[in-house]
Amino acid sequence: MADNVKQESSSPSAWPAPTASSRFVSEVVAGGAVGQRNPDEKGTGVVGLLVLIGIFVALALANIWWFVFAVGLLLSIVLHELGHYSTARWSGMRVTQFFVGFGPRVWSVHRRSTEFGVRALPLGAFVRIVGMNMMDDVDDDDEEHTYRSKSYPKRMLVITAGSLMHFLLALVLLSAVFTTRGEAVVLPGAEVMSVGEDMPAAGVVEPGDVILSIDNRVVVDGALGDVVRSFEPGSAVNIDLERNGVRSTVAATLGSNALVGGDGSSAFLGVSTVMPVSMEQRALWAAPWHSATAMGDQMWMSVKGVVTVLNPANVVAHLTGDDADPMTRPTTLVGITAVSDDVGQSGGFAGVIELLAYLNVFVGVFNLFPLLPLDGGHAAIATYERVREGRTRSRYHADVARLIPLTMAVVAMLAFMFMSGLYLDIVNPIR
């Protein structure tokens, strides 16, 4: 990354007037629209706002769980931007816009020199802070109120505040769920849901049994299949299980996957299982600690999930039908909202709130990836600038223009992932 030094007194005339293409690039790099409505302009789009409200009412009438999830998601988006807005104002930065949605302006109002409003495309939200980088054309009088003029700690606080709000919201939501409904704790073994007829397990294992180990090979996280396949077909084994709270050992002879149309090379037991869990209610004072631990696990899973999903080979495999693993496919809010109905039906209000909490963790982690136009990209630039300043504290400004090709590539990749995920969510919903 190249760097550039900008004198604080440099004239605005040194920066060319933005063209249509450069305005688009500036909005992508800065993370928000450049155009702002004049405070004296008549007409605030109340009709458009009423239409959007009507959409939420229709959603509530169609499916209550979709409505709960959508409202929770909207709250998450607003809190993300509120994090940026409040820390920017506290840091002395000028905030010109606070919008939910992108595209054409539907409704807006001015308060304290900031335009608050709603735009037509519900794909996110943005807060526009002046002077996010050296590409922003700012009047001399406003330079001291720009993002780029502030200290490194203030810039890092402002740019990471959105993700911090996601993590804080997730902590609050999970604490509430763990205190009321309880935390799902994974138990040892694999719980048997059904036993196939004429299968090796028939007459030996019953639905409701929890298989703990086979010949002392322990079943971890419900992965019974991995243990079974570690034996040869035809092996005589002892199965340690728990039935109605009593532990016992039963004998069985494993078959092969030829029983279900396989090639006969793998051992087969003939049961369907789930991961056994127990709901353990947490005390009010202990719930935040357990929530933070669960969030830590989810953060690590989110990092691995993002890396996996962003692999173009996985996306192509799903589009061609060669991969059906839901853990490797891209998805959008359409797919997640559909899942919220199933979660609501099985887990109720607490289940949907827990889903929202983990979604907030994922979004918070994803947003910190060090790529523009994500917040993590701005944080990476601020860190690079601070490193280049060294002990001299002479202010360096990164030449963000050199990052435009990479930024446009990231935008194109995200657009491809979004369109692929939307297509899959419509034609092949997650079950």
Side-chain angles (χ1 to χ4, degrees):
M1 183 185 301
D3 49 81
N4 185 25
V5 181
K6 178 178 184 290
Q7 301 297 327
E8 298 299 328
S9 59
S10 59
S11 170
S13 61
W15 303 93
T19 62
S21 59
S22 66
R23 173 173 173 172
F24 170 76
V25 171
S26 177
E27 290 182 352
V28 169
V29 173
V34 174
Q36 185 176 6
R37 185 176 66 84
N38 190 312
D40 298 327
E41 184 179 330
K42 300 298 182 181
T44 56
V46 175
V47 174
L49 184 61
L50 292 176
V51 169
L52 291 177
I53 295 175
I55 293 175
F56 273 87
V57 173
L59 192 64
L61 296 175
N63 188 303
I64 187 60
W65 300 121
W66 291 355
F67 173 74
V68 172
F69 182 79
V71 171
L73 185 61
L74 178 63
L75 176 63
S76 302
I77 293 173
V78 171
L79 287 177
H80 174 106
E81 300 306 330
L82 183 62
H84 290 313
Y85 173 80
S86 59
T87 53
R89 291 295 298 260
W90 176 83
S91 300
M93 302 176 191
R94 185 181 172 215
V95 183
T96 58
Q97 297 182 73
F98 187 130
F99 272 90
V100 176
F102 297 98
R105 181 184 287 102
V106 172
W107 170 87
S108 68
V109 63
H110 282 80
R111 293 288 185 274
R112 298 181 62 188
S113 74
T114 301
E115 182 184 9
F116 297 87
V118 178
R119 292 179 181 262
L121 303 177
L123 301 177
F126 69 90
V127 164
R128 175 66 169 167
I129 304 171
V130 299
M132 285 295 297
N133 53 65
M134 297 302 292
M135 293 180 62
D136 283 356
D137 184 16
V138 179
D139 292 338
D140 282 346
D141 293 341
D142 287 335
E143 185 60 38
E144 63 177 320
H145 300 296
T146 61
Y147 168 88
R148 66 193 180 205
S149 70
K150 301 303 179 181
S151 66
Y152 172 69
K154 287 184 177 180
R155 281 177 286 147
M156 287 297 290
L157 172 64
V158 170
I159 209 61
T160 60
S163 287
L164 292 177
M165 289 296 282
H166 282 300
F167 298 146
L168 179 60
L169 179 59
L171 183 66
V172 171
L173 294 178
L174 285 178
S175 296
V177 171
F178 291 175
T179 303
T180 54
R181 186 205 64 183
E183 178 184 7
V185 177
V186 178
L187 300 176
E191 183 177 355
V192 177
M193 300 301 293
S194 63
V195 180
E197 294 183 5
D198 301 324
M199 291 293 170
V204 178
V205 179
E206 299 178 359
D209 289 350
V210 177
I211 298 177
L212 302 173
S213 64
I214 300 178
D215 275 359
N216 297 321
R217 300 182 190 182
V218 179
V219 179
V220 180
D221 294 336
L224 176 64
D226 293 342
V227 175
V228 172
R229 286 187 292 271
S230 69
F231 294 91
E232 294 294 328
S235 298
V237 296
N238 291 318
I239 301 175
D240 296 321
L241 55 80
E242 184 176 294
R243 179 179 298 168
N244 299 323
V246 179
R247 297 187 63 163
S248 61
T249 301
V250 296
T253 300
L254 300 177
S256 75
N257 60 351
L259 293 169
V260 288
D263 58 9
S265 62
S266 299
F268 194 74
L269 184 60
V271 297
S272 64
T273 62
V274 296
M275 184 184 301
V277 296
S278 173
M279 290 297 177
E280 297 188 10
Q281 197 166 11
R282 305 302 186 186
L284 185 63
W285 60 268
W289 168 254
H290 288 280
S291 300
T293 302
M295 288 172 58
D297 294 339
Q298 183 66 24
M299 286 179 184
W300 174 236
M301 292 174 59
S302 296
V303 172
K304 294 193 296 183
V306 169
V307 173
T308 300
V309 171
L310 292 184
N311 184 344
N314 290 333
V315 180
V316 173
H318 279 286
L319 292 175
T320 57
D322 295 332
D323 190 348
D325 185 359
M327 301 304 294
T328 63
R329 64 172 278 179
T331 188
T332 65
L333 293 179
V334 173
I336 299 174
T337 302
V339 170
S340 70
D341 181 37
D342 297 331
V343 173
Q345 294 289 345
S346 60
F349 184 75
V352 176
I353 295 301
E354 187 174 23
L355 175 64
L356 275 168
Y358 287 127
L359 178 61
N360 271 275
V361 173
F362 174 82
V363 173
V365 169
F366 176 72
N367 201 46
L368 290 179
F369 268 63
L371 296 170
L372 287 176
L374 302 177
D375 289 345
H378 293 286
I381 291 173
T383 301
Y384 169 79
E385 291 175 337
R386 181 65 188 89
V387 171
R388 290 302 306 268
E389 290 168 6
R391 295 182 178 181
T392 65
R393 300 299 178 94
S394 178
R395 190 73 171 88
Y396 275 89
H397 293 279
D399 186 1
V400 180
R402 299 197 175 208
L403 291 175
I404 289 177
L406 176 60
T407 302
M408 292 299 102
V410 172
V411 171
M413 178 190 66
L414 293 177
F416 170 69
M417 294 295 171
F418 172 78
M419 296 305 298
S420 300
L422 183 61
Y423 170 79
L424 291 170
D425 288 338
I426 294 174
V427 303
N428 186 25
I430 298 176
R431 301 298 181 182

